[in-house]
Amino acid sequence: MIGQNAGSPFPGLPDARITPLLLIAHADGERTDGLRRARLSLGLPEPIIVSYEQLLAGVPLHAAAEKAGLPTGTAPFIRLDAPGEHFGVERALIALGSPEHDDGDSLLPLRERRDPYRLSEKAALSLQEQPIRLMHPSQWFRGFCRLLDRIRGEALQAWPQARFWHDPADIATMFDKRACHRHLSAAGVKVPTLLAEPETLTGYEAVREAMLGKRIHRVFLKLAFGSGASGIIAYQINPKTGAEIATTTMGAEVYVQRPGIFYNSKKVRSLTDSESIRTLIGYLCGHGIHAERWIPKASLDGRPLDLRQLVAFGEAGHTVVRVGESPITNLHLRSQRVTPAASGLSDEVLTAAKNEALAVMRAFPASFSAGIDVLTERHTGQPYIADVNPFGDLLRRVLHDGLDPYAWEMQRWTESGGAEADTDTIGSLQGGTQE
């Protein structure tokens, strides 16, 4: 197959030296700039960039790619990057998730669920930016899955030989914590025990009943498609007194005659008021909740820690240890970054964490990288997978083999291409033709 190497350890993986990288991302931003610099540092051409805004405006993928410089008839290697941190894109995805665009939702996990407070396309497009507000997350995710399905279909129609860095169906599964937990568990990857099937967790009472019935008194409750600690509650109840504590960044403004406003304050606080906790848990259950046993984490100086492990093309690379001030350890919540050597974790525990992260990617054989959150049990060192982020390679100020994450990923792709490329093949692709 042209542009692909029989010697590659990944069958069908395009050769990095002769295959254009088509990047679907925000045209400007730290991620796109990082990928561009990484490729140039390795002597590779700049990526061909198609923006989410173009696709959401209705521009066909192949037309946008050729306008950006992809030679006609050349099958690219297609990488999608994170669609977040851009309100225009967020709003357009909510609009795409509206009832008017119902097209079967083939990539949407648990697609039989109805989104609460569904917005029409017109209402979605009239939304105004409110930076900390959780804005129709289930409808956003429905729209994102519809866009993934469209990208997959248009790519395979335009370039039947094209490959994806992350298979769009895998992105949808990784993004949905319920589906990802189910997928990893079936593959034998170690994940925290599920409290209950998400379909049964219909509200606050159902969550408490499941906890008391299974004697699981400490759980993590997660918005199924949240990121950056958005929509996470570390929740515990006293089985004797019924007293409860919810540690979270979430907050709410509740109204009598219209839907409440829910937001992510980016400040961790602990709630003991049952009515406030009921409101927040009800919101998660309405949009989609994932509930799992709270694993006691390893700690450093009494502070809980976990790891973000980057895996690409079958190898574990950059590791960032996050030491938290609370059970929620995301770095933007005042958590401290430390090196693995300074974490207090033994070499055996760190190796086990890397091996579990590698097992995650073996469970997604059609995708080539992810940032994987791994926690280690305080007493046994047993690793558990807490989250899988297909776009989790934005890791600042950390090197592996002397390379930043993007450069390391590009080098891994190059090395995974196997034998030397055939010069006749290079010439035919540069000429814009394909045999």
Side-chain angles (χ1 to χ4, degrees):
M1 184 177 291
I2 295 299
Q4 299 181 350
N5 245 309
S8 171
F10 300 95
L13 180 65
D15 191 305
R17 291 156 293 189
I18 60 177
T19 304
L21 178 66
L22 175 58
L23 177 63
I24 300 173
H26 300 314
D28 300 308
E30 187 176 2
R31 295 172 181 273
T32 301
D33 288 345
L35 278 164
R36 182 185 291 114
R37 289 195 303 270
R39 289 182 63 80
L40 291 176
S41 72
L42 296 175
L44 299 170
E46 290 195 27
I48 295 165
I49 299 170
V50 170
S51 72
Y52 279 107
E53 289 179 287
Q54 290 174 285
L55 299 181
L56 288 165
V59 180
L61 177 60
H62 75 277
E66 290 180 6
K67 184 176 180 180
L70 180 69
T72 302
T74 300
F77 192 32
I78 305 170
R79 173 177 166 131
L80 287 84
D81 215 322
E85 300 181 359
H86 188 298
F87 179 68
V89 169
E90 179 182 2
R91 180 170 55 194
L93 287 171
I94 295 170
L96 186 58
S98 67
E100 295 97 312
H101 290 280
D102 185 9
D103 59 358
D105 295 321
S106 63
L107 294 189
L108 181 69
L110 281 71
R111 49 188 166 272
E112 68 279 1
R113 289 182 59 94
R114 180 185 175 94
D115 303 330
Y117 309 119
R118 291 190 296 176
L119 291 182
S120 67
E121 180 179 25
K122 181 178 179 181
L125 292 175
S126 69
L127 290 170
Q128 299 299 308
E129 184 171 10
Q130 299 178 49
I132 65 172
R133 182 176 175 183
L134 292 169
M135 200 170 286
H136 304 276
S138 54
Q139 187 165 324
W140 175 91
F141 185 59
R142 187 179 296 271
F144 183 47
C145 287
R146 288 173 177 174
L147 180 63
L148 290 172
D149 193 31
R150 176 189 148 197
I151 289 171
R152 179 178 65 172
E154 290 186 1
L156 296 179
Q157 183 176 13
W159 312 291
Q161 294 179 335
R163 290 292 302 275
F164 283 93
W165 188 293
H166 304 99
D167 183 271
D170 286 352
I171 293 175
T173 298
M174 292 177 186
F175 245 82
D176 189 312
K177 293 175 174 58
R178 303 162 300 184
C180 191
H181 186 282
R182 187 175 297 172
H183 181 81
L184 294 178
S185 181
V189 178
K190 196 69 173 177
V191 288
T193 301
L194 194 68
L195 172 64
E197 291 298 328
E199 298 89 340
T200 68
L201 299 178
T202 55
Y204 170 82
E205 288 81 5
V207 170
R208 285 179 61 89
E209 182 179 343
M211 292 173 68
L212 292 170
K214 295 186 177 181
R215 298 183 180 182
I216 299 177
H217 303 133
R218 304 174 81 228
V219 295
F220 264 73
L221 307 176
K222 303 178 182 181
L223 179 64
F225 14 79
S227 61
S230 178
I232 290 182
I233 303 173
Y235 181 54
Q236 50 191 318
I237 57 178
N238 185 314
K240 294 182 179 180
T241 67
E244 56 193 329
I245 301 175
T247 301
T248 185
T249 62
M250 290 180 66
E253 296 178 6
V254 181
Y255 306 100
V256 175
Q257 296 183 337
R258 60 189 175 95
I261 294 176
F262 294 80
Y263 55 88
N264 176 27
S265 68
K266 298 186 179 181
K267 294 181 180 179
V268 179
R269 58 185 183 139
S270 292
L271 306 174
T272 57
D273 171 57
S274 294
E275 200 55 41
S276 297
I277 296 172
R278 177 191 301 271
T279 297
L280 296 182
I281 292 178
Y283 177 83
L284 297 186
C285 292
H287 282 277
I289 192 171
H290 173 67
E292 61 189 26
R293 183 189 291 273
W294 180 337
I295 303 295
K297 296 177 180 177
S299 62
L300 179 65
D301 299 327
R303 295 178 295 162
L305 62 82
D306 62 12
L307 299 86
R308 166 63 62 89
Q309 179 64 58
L310 180 59
V311 174
F313 300 96
E315 184 175 310
H318 303 66
T319 306
V320 175
V321 179
R322 309 179 298 188
V323 182
E325 299 292 336
S326 78
I328 305 172
T329 54
N330 298 69
L331 289 176
H332 68 283
L333 300 176
R334 297 179 59 197
S335 293
Q336 178 187 359
R337 296 163 51 107
V338 301
T339 65
S343 69
L345 298 174
S346 68
D347 290 343
E348 292 79 9
V349 168
L350 290 169
T351 298
K354 289 184 177 183
N355 288 338
E356 206 66 33
L358 288 166
V360 169
M361 293 313 299
R362 288 195 295 272
F364 290 101
S367 296
F368 297 104
S369 73
I372 299 165
D373 292 345
V374 189
L375 57 90
T376 58
E377 205 276 339
R378 180 184 305 159
H379 304 291
T380 65
Q382 170 70 52
Y384 293 87
I385 301 303
D387 198 22
V388 181
N389 186 342
F391 313 131
D393 49 8
L394 179 57
L395 304 174
R396 302 177 180 93
R397 303 185 304 281
V398 58
L399 301 177
H400 181 74
D401 293 339
L403 300 171
D404 70 31
Y406 294 126
W408 179 75
E409 286 179 327
M410 292 300 147
Q411 180 169 285
R412 288 292 302 141
W413 175 22
T414 302
E415 293 172 348
S416 299
E420 290 297 322
D422 181 79
T423 55
D424 292 337
T425 297
I426 295 174
S428 69
L429 285 176
Q430 289 175 336
T433 61
Q434 194 170 19
E435 295 178 2

